[in-house]
Tab-separated table of all heavy atoms in Angstrom:
chain	number	residue	atom	x	y	z
A	374	ARG	N	139.087	78.122	78.078
A	374	ARG	CA	140.053	77.042	78.272
A	374	ARG	C	139.820	76.370	79.627
A	374	ARG	O	139.683	77.069	80.650
A	374	ARG	CB	141.492	77.578	78.185
A	374	ARG	CG	141.835	78.093	76.786
A	374	ARG	CD	143.341	78.404	76.689
A	374	ARG	NE	143.686	78.782	75.334
A	374	ARG	CZ	143.744	80.057	74.903
A	374	ARG	NH1	143.436	81.028	75.756
A	374	ARG	NH2	144.075	80.327	73.664
A	375	VAL	N	139.743	75.076	79.596
A	375	VAL	CA	139.582	74.271	80.825
A	375	VAL	C	140.859	73.466	80.999
A	375	VAL	O	141.215	72.643	80.131
A	375	VAL	CB	138.360	73.341	80.703
A	375	VAL	CG1	138.277	72.436	81.922
A	375	VAL	CG2	137.081	74.149	80.551
A	376	ASN	N	141.573	73.731	82.072
A	376	ASN	CA	142.886	73.111	82.311
A	376	ASN	C	143.804	73.336	81.117
A	376	ASN	O	144.593	72.459	80.714
A	376	ASN	CB	142.754	71.606	82.583
A	376	ASN	CG	142.163	71.320	83.964
A	376	ASN	OD1	142.047	72.217	84.787
A	376	ASN	ND2	141.752	70.085	84.171
A	377	GLY	N	143.697	74.543	80.491
A	377	GLY	CA	144.557	74.903	79.368
A	377	GLY	C	144.104	74.410	78.021
A	377	GLY	O	144.693	74.748	77.000
A	378	GLN	N	143.020	73.632	77.960
A	378	GLN	CA	142.525	73.089	76.676
A	378	GLN	C	141.211	73.770	76.313
A	378	GLN	O	140.381	74.029	77.186
A	378	GLN	CB	142.317	71.569	76.813
A	378	GLN	CG	141.877	70.896	75.522
A	378	GLN	CD	141.734	69.376	75.693
A	378	GLN	OE1	142.027	68.846	76.761
A	378	GLN	NE2	141.283	68.701	74.661
A	379	GLU	N	141.048	74.092	75.029
A	379	GLU	CA	139.823	74.748	74.600
A	379	GLU	C	138.626	73.873	74.941
A	379	GLU	O	138.595	72.675	74.600
A	379	GLU	CB	139.846	75.018	73.089
A	379	GLU	CG	138.766	75.966	72.603
A	379	GLU	CD	138.976	77.385	73.095
A	379	GLU	OE1	140.117	77.814	73.287
A	379	GLU	OE2	137.930	78.078	73.290
A	380	ALA	N	137.665	74.429	75.615
A	380	ALA	CA	136.543	73.632	76.142
A	380	ALA	C	135.762	72.963	74.997
A	380	ALA	O	135.255	71.837	75.155
A	380	ALA	CB	135.607	74.526	76.969
A	381	ALA	N	135.660	73.639	73.847
A	381	ALA	CA	134.859	73.094	72.729
A	381	ALA	C	135.469	71.817	72.195
A	381	ALA	O	134.768	71.009	71.554
A	381	ALA	CB	134.727	74.133	71.629
A	382	SER	N	136.775	71.610	72.399
A	382	SER	CA	137.431	70.418	71.837
A	382	SER	C	137.397	69.215	72.787
A	382	SER	O	137.859	68.135	72.392
A	382	SER	CB	138.892	70.762	71.495
A	382	SER	OG	139.626	71.008	72.693
A	383	ILE	N	136.862	69.405	73.988
A	383	ILE	CA	136.806	68.308	74.955
A	383	ILE	C	135.485	67.572	74.773
A	383	ILE	O	134.411	68.190	74.859
A	383	ILE	CB	136.947	68.844	76.382
A	383	ILE	CG1	138.239	69.617	76.555
A	383	ILE	CG2	136.853	67.708	77.392
A	383	ILE	CD1	138.391	70.281	77.911
A	384	PRO	N	135.509	66.276	74.520
A	384	PRO	CA	134.231	65.551	74.381
A	384	PRO	C	133.403	65.673	75.654
A	384	PRO	O	133.929	65.548	76.763
A	384	PRO	CB	134.676	64.077	74.157
A	384	PRO	CG	136.067	64.188	73.617
A	384	PRO	CD	136.668	65.398	74.271
A	385	PRO	N	132.114	65.930	75.513
A	385	PRO	CA	131.279	66.170	76.705
A	385	PRO	C	131.304	65.037	77.721
A	385	PRO	O	131.207	65.294	78.927
A	385	PRO	CB	129.879	66.356	76.102
A	385	PRO	CG	130.132	66.787	74.703
A	385	PRO	CD	131.369	66.085	74.271
A	386	LEU	N	131.467	63.802	77.248
A	386	LEU	CA	131.417	62.662	78.172
A	386	LEU	C	132.806	62.240	78.631
A	386	LEU	O	132.963	61.207	79.260
A	386	LEU	CB	130.710	61.478	77.511
A	386	LEU	CG	129.241	61.745	77.116
A	386	LEU	CD1	128.615	60.489	76.503
A	386	LEU	CD2	128.421	62.172	78.337
A	387	ARG	N	133.817	63.060	78.307
A	387	ARG	CA	135.176	62.737	78.721
A	387	ARG	C	135.781	63.911	79.485
A	387	ARG	O	136.862	64.397	79.181
A	387	ARG	CB	136.030	62.359	77.526
A	387	ARG	CG	135.551	61.094	76.807
A	387	ARG	CD	136.441	60.722	75.650
A	387	ARG	NE	137.804	60.417	76.117
A	387	ARG	CZ	138.827	60.162	75.284
A	387	ARG	NH1	138.614	60.169	73.973
A	387	ARG	NH2	140.020	59.865	75.769
A	388	ALA	N	135.019	64.406	80.443
A	388	ALA	CA	135.487	65.521	81.260
A	388	ALA	C	136.687	65.091	82.091
A	388	ALA	O	136.793	63.929	82.486
A	388	ALA	CB	134.370	65.994	82.175
A	389	PRO	N	137.600	65.998	82.365
A	389	PRO	CA	138.721	65.648	83.246
A	389	PRO	C	138.224	65.237	84.613
A	389	PRO	O	137.168	65.674	85.060
A	389	PRO	CB	139.532	66.964	83.322
A	389	PRO	CG	139.076	67.766	82.145
A	389	PRO	CD	137.660	67.372	81.880
A	390	ASP	N	138.983	64.384	85.255
A	390	ASP	CA	138.591	63.961	86.613
A	390	ASP	C	138.637	65.153	87.563
A	390	ASP	O	137.883	65.194	88.539
A	390	ASP	CB	139.530	62.863	87.123
A	390	ASP	CG	139.395	61.574	86.321
A	390	ASP	OD1	138.289	61.367	85.759
A	390	ASP	OD2	140.360	60.807	86.259
A	391	GLN	N	139.472	66.107	87.280
A	391	GLN	CA	139.629	67.267	88.149
A	391	GLN	C	139.877	68.493	87.304
A	391	GLN	O	140.675	68.459	86.352
A	391	GLN	CB	140.792	67.050	89.128
A	391	GLN	CG	141.053	68.230	90.060
A	391	GLN	CD	142.168	67.911	91.049
A	391	GLN	OE1	142.136	66.894	91.709
A	391	GLN	NE2	143.142	68.798	91.134
A	392	ILE	N	139.170	69.563	87.573
A	392	ILE	CA	139.367	70.833	86.868
A	392	ILE	C	140.021	71.807	87.829
A	392	ILE	O	139.445	72.136	88.878
A	392	ILE	CB	138.046	71.387	86.317
A	392	ILE	CG1	137.508	70.469	85.214
A	392	ILE	CG2	138.226	72.810	85.766
A	392	ILE	CD1	136.184	70.900	84.633
Side-chain angles (χ1 to χ4, degrees):
R374 294 190 175 93
V375 175
N376 289 347
Q378 183 178 356
E379 193 69 31
S382 67
I383 302 175
L386 299 181
R387 297 182 62 185
D390 294 334
Q391 178 177 309
I392 293 179

